[in-house]
Amino acid sequence: IFDFSRVEFEPLMEDQEGCISHQITTSGSIPSQRKGHNTVCYKNNFYLFGGQTQDLKENTTRFIHILNLETFVWTLFDVVNSNISPRSQMTTNWINPETIFFFGGLENISNEGLNDVICLRMEDLHFSFPFVAGEYPLPRYGHASCNYFGQSE
């Protein structure tokens, strides 16, 4: 497994041509440092899902951290669906403007690979498990995926 502790992070990188970066101050329920998480932006919010932290207790929770991009205040949303395992290193894909799918990942308690598909409706943060026909792929984590919205002929 990749050792993230050996990666050097530069918190204030040099500005790239045509881009300006700066550090912002946030408040509220600020998430702890983590690795293997996923993020998406939806409307005026930034959503942080999963990941592994140094706090073992937090690794067993299913919180979604939400940053309001106008006020820069973090809030915490507790996922009450007990069928969703706390996870990291999963993939996240937009299926339509209101829905994202998570696939697989690493279960944070048992450290076993997962191969489930979870649907999240962004409007009300409702999770569900869609019906999936055919054979499931093998469990996996640390993988990549992308959406391709090509034209059909």
Side-chain angles (χ1 to χ4, degrees), residues 19-37:
C19 300
I20 298 173
S21 64
H22 62 277
Q23 191 168 2
I24 60 170
T25 302
T26 62
S27 62
S29 299
I30 299 172
S32 59
Q33 294 180 348
R34 63 194 59 232
K35 61 184 177 185
H37 54 280

Side-chain angles (χ1 to χ4, degrees), residues 31-34 51 53 55-63 65 86 108:
S32 59
Q33 294 180 348
R34 63 194 59 232
T53 69
D55 179 358
L56 297 179
K57 183 179 179 189
E58 188 176 348
N59 283 337
T60 63
T61 60
R62 293 171 284 277
F63 294 128
H65 298 272
N108 285 348

Side-chain angles (χ1 to χ4, degrees), residues 39-47 69 94 122:
T39 59
V40 298
C41 283
Y42 176 73
K43 296 191 177 177
N44 288 326
N45 292 308
F46 177 81
Y47 295 82
L69 296 174
W94 286 101
M122 293 301 294

